[in-house]
Every structure is written in C-alpha cells, then in structure tokens.
Amino acid sequence: MSRYEEAKKMYAAYGIDTDAALERLSKIPVSVHCWQGDDVIGFDGSDSLSGGIQTTGNYPGRARTPEELFEDAKRAFALMPGKKRINVHACYALLGADKGKVDRDAYTYKYFEPWVEWAKENGLDGVDFNPTFFAHPKMKDGLSLSSPDEETRQFWVRHGKASLKIAAEIGKAMNSPCLVNIWIPDGYKDIPADRLSPRLRLKKSLDEILEDYDKEWVIPAVESKVFGIGIESYTVGSNEFYQNYAAKNNICCLLDTGHYHPTEVVSDKIPALLAFYDKIALHVSRPVRWDSDHVLIVDDELKELSKEIIRNEADEKVLIGLDYFDASINRLCAWVTGVRSMQKALLNAMLQPYAELKQLQDENNFSKIMYLNEKFKFMPIGDVWDEYLRRQGLSEDWFGEVEKFEKEVFAERV
Ligand code: RNT
Ligand code: ZN
C-alpha cells in the first residue's frame, strides 16, 4: 500500500475524506503578489520604496525590468500547485513610450493588458489590482487621500477612480471579478493635533472614488493598518475606520495579518467578520515583531487562520491574497515557499475532525479537544501533501530549480 493509501485510511477512521480534501484544495484560488519579485519597486519611475513599508536585504537577482519580472514570475508560478491569481499594483504599469508622460491619475487598461495576457498564458484564474498610493512624488508630506492639500487629494482620488476602471476591464478580460484593494500609508510620526479631519477627508475621498464602479467585475476593498515606519503615532486608515466604512458602504474589508498589534490575530477576526460580511479579503503575511512582511511559513497562526476559512466553509467568501517581500533571500524561493505554505496550511485545516471537535466544545470537553488537536499534529499530512503535488505534476524537490535559475539567470544580473 502506498504511503498515501495508508494515510487515507488513517484519516478515514476519523471520517475525513482525503481525496475530497485534495479536490477542494485544488479549487481555492490564492492571489499571488507580483511585488515579491522586485522588492516592491514597480516600473513607473520609482527607484526606492516609501510609505512606511520597507524591504530589507540585497540578495542578488532582483527583477529590474518588466521582462525580468515576467520571466521570474513564470518560473516561480510553475512551481506553485493549485489555482492562482496574480495581484498587480498600479506602479507595475507597462507604460512603454508613454513613460514620463502619463501620471498615475491617467493610467488606463492598456498599460496593464500585458499582465492579463501573461495571466492567460500561465493559466491563471484571475488578476487582482491595487492603486498605488505610495512611492510617488505626488505624496505630499507622506499623505495621499487624506491630504489637506486639495490638489494632492484630488490627484489621488483620480488615481483611485482610474484604478477601478482598469480593474473592470481586467475582470471582464479574465472573466473573473477583480479585487481592488485600497491601502494608503497616510499618517503621522508624532502625536497629531487633529485626528478627525484627516479621517473625514479620507472618507470623502473614498466616497468620491467609489461613486461609480462596475459592480459585476470589481470588488473594492479597504486595508487598515496600525502603524508604519516613520508613521508611528497615527494611521488615518485604522481598523475601526475601515471596518465601519466597509460595512456602511457595502464593500469588502481586507485584513493584512501584519497590520495589528503583535498579540492580535487575524484568525479570530475572520469569524467575527463572517457574521456580517459576505466577503472578506486577506493579505496573508508573516509579521515578526512588527509588519515585517516575512515569507509565509506553516506556523501556528497560519494554521489557525486557515482553519477559520475551512471549517466555516468560507472557501468562496474569504479571498486569499499574499503580501510579503523579502529581499534577503532568493526571491523565487520566497515566492514559492509562501504560496506552498499557504496551501499546506489550508490542507492541514481540511484534515481535522471538526464535527467531533465542535461537539466536544459544546460539551465543554476541552481535555479531549486538546488530546485530538495534539494527536492530529502528528498525523501523516506530509503523505497527503505529496499526493496533492503528485496529482499536479509537482513534487517537494523543487529547490534544484531555484538553484538552477539562480546560476543561469540571477548571477547575470549584476
Ligand atoms: C502595506 C500594505 C500593502 C502593501 C502592498 C504593496 O503595509 O500591506 O498591502 O504591502 O500593497
Ligand atoms: Zn497588505
């Protein structure tokens, strides 16, 4: 009997169907961020990152051109199992001859068409989009949509509107609704003298941006944050602000796992929001002491977060996107490890005896819950994962590809 057959039997003894789990896992899309490949620099003119976020490290091989990023992403995606989408930021516009002539408030779909083509060529399930409200000269005093300078605020409102239009085209072209996530770095380093006015300005800007958009092909979301580097004292787009905005305006909340206090966990927020929202979006990241955006690994919180999606059957309600950027290791390795970790955690979540655990909770039998949870940690999930990869024509031995690519391609990029 194969290892998988043995494992299948062991799980079946608890009423868990591993074949059904593999089928279910292969259908959950993961939106993979394009920005791991080039340290969040983009193509539209910026040569450094700003806005309270930072990549650290200078491992060789950063993609410096669209061609390089497309090539790297292609190699990375080929090593990722399951259903994937690509998540693109507006700063990844392919401006061609218009570079330097057209600003972010005038971007149109044509600058992103190559991404759609790339997604189709690579068999992806969809493309998601983000307006880029950072790393740009029109950020005034670090502010965008909440700026007291009306010209600045309006520029960024126009960028938001342009992004929703682009997203509608992307959604249609991919025949899959496009998630448009709004994150702004706006905030203050030191204690503000007025906390309300910036939030009212942000509210007004969002109202203006969302005044009109394609409801069929666009899913707008707002992403909150607790603080950023150099923006330690006050963030305009805080959790309470956006959660209320989203609820009142019937749009989506996006929870980034790195955007809360270090002891606060997104796994617990998912069921809280599922009680009210039809859809929730995620930026799954690995915060190490702060919003450090480390590569996802299968840690306890990733497992808990995945359980909240799976045991609540929220596969279609929770839109999973990844958001991490590590410049200190091989970027291909970073991409592939993170995506695989997400899927491993989802698989782990599918291989738990929920019916029994739920009943035990209602009977207040936390002794047996502890016993079962600990037992299941050492069940042969690795054999089920290997079978998943086998069915997708992949394996766990993928690091050779990374080494090969590093030798052949990254080494040339000096
Ligand atoms: C920043 C946010 C935001 C960005 C990306 C690039 O703290 O997490 O989502 O990381 O949009
Ligand atoms: Zn994020």
Side-chain angles (χ1 to χ4, degrees), residues 33 35 40 49 51-53 87 89 92 130-132 134 181-185 223-225 227-228 254 256 258-259 283 285 291 293 322-325:
H33 53 312
W35 50 91
V40 211
L49 184 57
I53 51 177
N87 199 1
H89 244 284
Y92 290 82
N130 308 259
T132 310
F134 56 84
N181 177 51
I182 297 179
W183 171 75
I184 60 166
E223 176 183 9
S224 73
K225 190 162 177 172
F227 80 94
L254 184 141
D256 184 308
H259 288 195
H283 268 183
S285 188
D291 181 37
D293 294 292
L322 310 185
D323 184 13
Y324 54 80
F325 25 93

Side-chain angles (χ1 to χ4, degrees), residues 319-361:
L319 309 175
I320 303 174
L322 310 185
D323 184 13
Y324 54 80
F325 25 93
D326 191 337
S328 75
I329 56 174
N330 179 300
R331 291 166 187 81
L332 208 70
C333 171
W335 246 329
V336 178
T337 303
V339 173
R340 287 184 174 224
S341 299
M342 184 71 239
Q343 295 189 22
K344 283 178 183 168
L346 289 167
L347 178 63
N348 177 65
M350 289 171 192
L351 302 180
Q352 305 294 324
Y354 293 124
E356 189 174 353
L357 290 168
K358 273 187 191 177
Q359 196 187 331
L360 289 168
Q361 175 170 316

Side-chain angles (χ1 to χ4, degrees), residues 267-281:
S267 52
D268 187 58
K269 297 178 192 299
I270 292 173
L273 294 189
L274 281 177
F276 295 95
Y277 287 85
D278 180 42
K279 281 203 187 328
I280 310 169

